[in-house]
Amino acid sequence: MSQTTSKILMIRPANFGFNEQTAESNAFQQNCELQQVAEKALQEFDAFVDLLVSKGVNITVLKDTTEPQKPDAVFPNNWVSFHDNGDVLLYPMHAENRRLERREDVIRKLEDKFKVNHIIDLSRFELENKFLEGTGSIVLDRENKIAYACLSPRTDADVLETFCKHLGFTAVTFNAVDGKQQAIYHTNVMMCVGNNFAVVCLDSLANDNEKQVVADSLKNTNKEIIAITLEQMNSFAGNMLEVQSKDGKSLLVMSKSAHHSLTEDQVKTLEKYTEIVSADLTTIETIGGGSARCMLAEIHLPEAE
């Protein structure tokens, strides 16, 4: 299994805005009085796509449908993931209006270019009020088949176990909180695992045993740990994704706010392994409570024959 890919799905939003249904468990969301939120989000989205394409990333952009309205459609990594054995997984979503983001037509369009063998639908767990929001809830070490997950109202251990059984992963679970002791809603805001490094907010793990388990797992899989602070995490410094250009160059994608929060030493360490690519996502981060990584759904599917 390859940890990174050059093939990425992005969903261009039609009705981006503040989602009341997700705000209770997402401390990163702010219902600010920003003007023309949807328009600014589109400008940020389009500039982000252009930046990634200029760096040689293979972006498939599909449009959100105007109806029904889906304020978080710009974050597709929560409802779907694509794997190199041809599996597509669909995930149970905590907010009812986010369940509308699961679109069969998106998968059908991807089948023009990629091979889909099985669609594994975990959304049935919504009937039990159990949730697992894709690669927001789980940060994957695909090469070593490890699924890192901080448990929260959106990340259920039973659904995670089902995911791991389907794909042959081992789960490393822990509890993580922010500076106000609120559970961190998604693992991918406090952790990023790359080919040779891991960016992680170990300060968010209050349990020393869990902290040691996570650190040991990363070290045992030869990842250099770049520890970030709670303050840096709040600037989305954990919400990064390593991708490839079409010619195989490593790129670490993040927002400008995440990039600006990093220290000089952290940047130097990361640049040993990768090139940092950052985009201004201020509106999307502030109103949506998600950042660069949340907007990128990696396509690890085999190419269509």
Side-chain angles (χ1 to χ4, degrees):
M1 275 194 179
S2 173
Q3 178 65 9
T4 59
T5 179
S6 65
K7 303 173 186 70
I8 303 292
L9 168 69
M10 298 179 70
I11 302 292
R12 191 173 191 266
N15 292 289
F16 177 83
F18 185 80
N19 189 347
E20 297 279 359
Q21 292 188 25
T22 60
E24 183 180 352
S25 60
N26 183 347
F28 291 79
Q29 274 179 260
Q30 299 175 47
N31 194 3
C32 300
E33 294 298 321
L34 295 181
Q35 297 297 313
Q36 290 123 5
V37 163
E39 184 182 327
K40 286 180 178 176
L42 278 176
Q43 291 169 357
E44 290 177 0
F45 179 91
D46 291 339
F48 190 24
V49 170
D50 289 345
L51 174 64
L52 293 174
V53 170
S54 76
K55 292 291 182 179
V57 184
N58 184 349
I59 304 290
T60 297
V61 176
L62 298 179
K63 291 182 179 180
D64 178 26
T65 53
T66 54
E67 293 294 335
Q69 292 197 6
K70 302 175 288 299
D72 286 328
V74 73
F75 305 132
N77 82 308
N78 297 141
W79 67 266
V80 67
S81 65
F82 307 99
H83 301 268
D84 61 3
N85 63 354
D87 284 352
V88 174
L89 271 81
L90 305 178
Y91 294 93
M93 306 288 284
H94 185 267
E96 289 188 19
N97 64 1
R98 292 214 63 191
R99 299 169 192 176
L100 302 169
E101 295 170 32
R102 290 191 299 257
R103 289 170 50 198
E104 186 178 336
D105 65 301
V106 168
I107 297 167
R108 296 291 164 245
K109 287 173 184 173
L110 290 178
E111 284 185 302
D112 293 340
K113 294 191 281 186
F114 303 101
K115 186 177 180 182
V116 173
N117 289 327
H118 301 102
I119 296 176
I120 299 167
D121 190 352
L122 302 180
S123 66
R124 65 184 183 277
F125 281 100
E126 289 167 355
L127 299 173
E128 303 173 44
N129 285 317
K130 294 178 178 179
F131 312 105
L132 189 74
E133 297 190 334
T135 52
S137 288
I138 41 181
V139 171
L140 298 178
D141 179 343
R142 292 176 185 261
E143 285 185 311
N144 295 292
K145 304 199 91 168
I146 298 170
Y148 294 94
C150 68
L151 302 177
S152 78
R154 304 202 200 177
T155 304
D156 181 87
D158 291 341
V159 193
L160 176 63
E161 182 181 2
T162 303
F163 167 91
C164 288
K165 282 181 179 176
H166 275 299
L167 290 175
F169 276 68
T170 300
V172 174
T173 60
F174 50 91
N175 294 278
V177 294
D178 61 20
K180 296 179 181 177
Q181 299 304 300
Q182 181 173 340
I184 291 172
Y185 78 107
H186 277 163
T187 313
N188 76 0
V189 298
M190 52 77 62
M191 185 177 195
C192 159
V193 174
N195 274 307
N196 300 296
F197 61 87
V199 177
V200 58
C201 184
L202 291 171
D203 289 350
S204 66
L205 278 70
N207 184 297
D208 288 338
N209 288 335
E210 291 181 346
K211 190 180 294 189
Q212 194 63 51
V213 166
V214 172
D216 287 347
S217 178
L218 293 169
K219 289 172 185 172
N220 291 340
T221 49
N222 299 312
K223 310 295 184 190
E224 181 169 1
I225 296 175
I226 295 99
I228 57 172
T229 65
L230 288 167
E231 187 177 1
Q232 289 175 315
M233 180 188 73
N234 288 336
S235 295
F236 291 98
N239 199 243
M240 309 169 171
L241 182 69
E242 185 182 9
V243 303
Q244 297 174 24
S245 65
K246 293 171 189 174
D247 58 6
K249 183 178 181 180
S250 170
L251 306 167
L252 184 59
V253 182
M254 65 185 75
S255 70
K256 292 279 190 194
S257 60
H259 194 176
H260 292 158
S261 78
L262 297 176
T263 67
E264 190 176 332
D265 285 344
Q266 288 170 329
V267 169
K268 281 182 181 176
T269 301
L270 288 168
E271 287 180 341
K272 290 192 300 184
Y273 303 111
T274 187
E275 176 188 340
I276 293 174
V277 177
S278 60
D280 180 7
L281 302 172
T282 304
T283 304
I284 291 171
E285 286 179 329
T286 304
I287 303 297
S291 188
R293 194 276 168 267
C294 304
M295 298 169 67
L296 309 173
E298 312 107 291
I299 304 173
H300 283 267
L301 297 170
E303 299 273 356
E305 296 173 1

